Amino acid sequence: MSQAWLFTGPPGSGRSVTARAFAAALECTGPTPGCGQCQGCQSVMSGSHPDVEAISTQGVTITVDQTRSMVGRSYVAPGVGNWRILIVEDADRMAERTTNVLLKAIEEPPVFTVWMLCTPSPDDVMTTIRSRCRSVALTIPSARDVAELLVRRDGVSPEAALLAARAAQSHIGMARALATNPEVANQRTKTLREAVSVRGAGDAVLAAQRLLAGATERAEKQSTHSDGAELAELKRSLGVEDDKRIPPAVRAQIRELEENQKRRSTRAKRDVLDRAMVDMLSLFRDVLTVQLGAGIELINEDFAQEVHDMARSSTPARSVQRMDAITQARQRLAGNVDPLLTLEAMMLSMRPQAGAADTSFS
Ligand SMILES: [Zn+2]
C-alpha cells in the first residue's frame, strides 16, 4: 500500500471526489471495501470521519502554519478507522517553503498515515514530492456523459443538459450550475456578449471595467456572509462582546482572521475572473474551428450565430491572436498583475481591428 498519492486532472475531472472515494474505501467497515453503505464510507463521504481530513484552501495559498499543523496531525494514530488520511485538495497552492515542510512528512510517514494530494497536473508539485507519490491521472468525461448525468441525477432536460455540458467543457459542477442556476447561466451569457460586442477602444475599456466590477460584486456576495459569521464566532470564543473595545491580547487573532478573509476574497475574485476568461477563450476556439472548417461541435452552441459572424469577418490568425491575449491575461492575473490593466489589455485585443486607428475613443 502506497502511503502518498497524487491525483491529477483538469478542473472538473473530480480529483478531490476521487481522493475522497478512495479514502472511503480505505476506511470502509462493510463486507466489500468501498461499499458506500457502511458508517465508515458514509462518514468519509460526508466529511465527518474523525480520521480523514481534507484541506481545501480558500486563500490564494496554503500557509506554512496550515501545513505544519496538518503534518502534526499526520503523526496521530487513527481513532476509529484503519488509517489516518490527509487529503490536500489544492496542493498546487503551496509555496515552495511550505512544500518542504510536507516533504519530510511524506518521506517517512507513520505506518497508519496516507497522504492524498490533488493538483491539475503532475508539474504543479515539486519533483521531490512527485517522485515520492504514486500518481493517478484523471481525464475529463465527454460532454455527452456529463449531460446524461445531469439528466439522471438533477432532472435537467436532455437539450439543456447537453448545452450546459458543452458550455462548461465537461466540468460537472459548472455544467450543473449552468443548467440549474439562472444567475450563473446569465453571467456566462453576459461575459460572452462583452467579448462579441467590443468595437473600439472605448468599448473595450468599459467592458473591462464591467467585467471587474461584476467579478468583485460576486466574490463579495460569496464571502460577506461567511466573513461576518466567522468574526462573530471568533469574538464569541474569545469572550469579546460585540460592542466592547477589543482587548490588545486578542487583537492578533482577530487581525489574522481578517487577513485570511481578505486572501479568500482575492482568490474568489480571481476565480470568477478566470472562469469568465475560460468562457471567452472557448468562444474564440469556436470561431477558429469554424474558420478552419474543422467540423467539430461548438462549445457555445447558443452563440452559434455570433460565432459564424465572427468567423466570416475575421481571419484564423486573428482568432489565434485573441486566444493568445486571453491566455496571457489569465497568466498575468495569476501572477498578481493589476486586474483592471490586465482586463483592459485583453479587451482591447477583442476589437475587430486591434491596433488600427480608432475614432470611437473620443
Ligand atoms: Zn463501506
Side-chain angles (χ1 to χ4, degrees):
M1 167 71 189
S2 292
Q3 287 180 264
W5 295 76
L6 178 63
F7 293 93
T8 59
S13 56
R15 300 182 299 254
S16 42
V17 178
T18 308
R20 206 176 272 281
F22 182 35
L26 291 176
E27 303 287 16
C28 180
T29 51
T32 42
C35 70
Q37 308 297 323
C38 71
Q39 170 75 19
C41 282
Q42 291 197 343
S43 59
V44 172
M45 292 314 284
S46 69
S48 60
H49 196 288
D51 300 322
V52 179
E53 185 184 349
I55 301 95
S56 68
T57 179
Q58 287 175 311
V60 177
T61 55
I62 298 179
T63 65
V64 177
D65 286 345
Q66 273 175 312
T67 312
R68 283 217 183 93
S69 74
M70 192 163 70
V71 165
R73 285 190 296 279
S74 78
Y75 291 100
V76 180
V80 298
N82 307 317
W83 302 90
R84 162 82 46 200
I85 300 175
L86 298 114
I87 304 172
V88 185
E89 290 186 359
D90 305 290
D92 53 314
R93 291 184 200 259
M94 276 186 176
E96 192 165 325
R97 192 161 67 99
T98 319
T99 314
N100 285 328
V101 176
L102 185 64
L103 184 61
K104 195 108 197 61
I106 285 187
E107 252 170 343
E108 288 166 36
V111 287
F112 47 75
T113 297
V114 179
W115 286 91
M116 299 182 187
L117 312 183
C118 308
T119 63
S121 90
D123 299 330
D124 293 323
V125 287
M126 289 185 351
T127 328
T128 41
I129 296 263
R130 191 166 64 228
S131 63
R132 281 165 184 81
C133 291
R134 186 143 165 210
S135 227
V136 180
L138 305 170
T139 53
I140 14 179
S142 74
R144 272 173 212 291
D145 287 346
V146 173
E148 213 173 279
L149 176 72
L150 294 184
V151 171
R152 179 161 42 84
R153 188 188 62 185
D154 304 306
V156 178
S157 79
E159 303 75 39
L162 192 57
L163 200 65
R166 281 201 198 126
Q169 297 175 63
S170 290
H171 186 303
I172 295 173
M174 184 47 68
R176 183 174 55 186
L178 279 173
T180 59
N181 183 343
E183 204 179 322
V184 174
N186 195 9
Q187 195 50 50
R188 169 181 161 272
T189 313
K190 253 168 123 177
T191 303
L192 295 182
R193 288 244 162 276
E194 294 285 14
V196 299
S197 53
V198 171
R199 289 288 164 267
D203 294 345
V205 170
L206 290 175
Q209 284 168 3
R210 279 193 298 268
L211 275 175
L212 183 61
T216 310
E217 192 193 323
R218 259 168 308 138
E220 270 168 9
K221 214 153 111 194
Q222 277 171 24
S223 52
T224 317
H225 180 70
S226 52
D227 282 3
E230 275 172 6
L231 185 61
E233 174 62 35
L234 178 65
K235 281 183 171 172
R236 214 175 6 257
S237 73
L238 294 171
V240 180
E241 285 170 48
D242 259 339
D243 48 348
K244 294 268 167 61
R245 260 186 85 244
I246 298 167
V250 300
R251 263 182 218 154
Q253 288 181 63
I254 295 202
R255 201 180 316 122
E256 193 188 327
L257 176 73
E258 284 168 348
E259 275 164 16
N260 275 336
Q261 291 179 339
K262 208 171 145 223
R263 271 200 292 273
R264 185 170 62 195
S265 128
T266 305
R267 152 112 191 248
K269 193 159 86 181
R270 219 184 264 179
D271 285 351
V272 171
L273 282 175
D274 195 59
R275 186 67 231 166
M277 290 193 267
V278 168
D279 285 340
M280 283 192 198
L281 201 53
S282 73
L283 187 76
F284 293 107
R285 171 266 190 202
D286 280 348
V287 173
L288 185 63
T289 58
V290 170
Q291 286 170 328
L292 299 177
I296 44 180
E297 285 172 341
L298 296 184
I299 294 170
N300 304 287
E301 194 54 61
D302 50 341
F303 271 74
Q305 184 62 47
E306 289 84 348
V307 165
H308 284 275
D309 288 349
M310 282 178 121
R312 264 194 306 276
S313 64
S314 69
T315 62
R318 186 80 192 89
S319 299
V320 172
Q321 266 174 17
R322 285 167 160 156
M323 291 169 78
D324 282 349
I326 299 169
T327 305
Q328 197 181 28
R330 291 183 71 196
Q331 285 164 352
R332 282 186 183 155
L333 272 191
N336 255 337
V337 178
D338 179 74
L340 186 58
L341 290 179
T342 306
L343 292 174
E344 279 176 5
M346 179 182 82
M347 293 313 288
L348 282 169
S349 71
M350 300 297 128
R351 288 176 295 169
Q353 299 291 326
D358 190 354
T359 51
S360 69
F361 199 33
S362 52

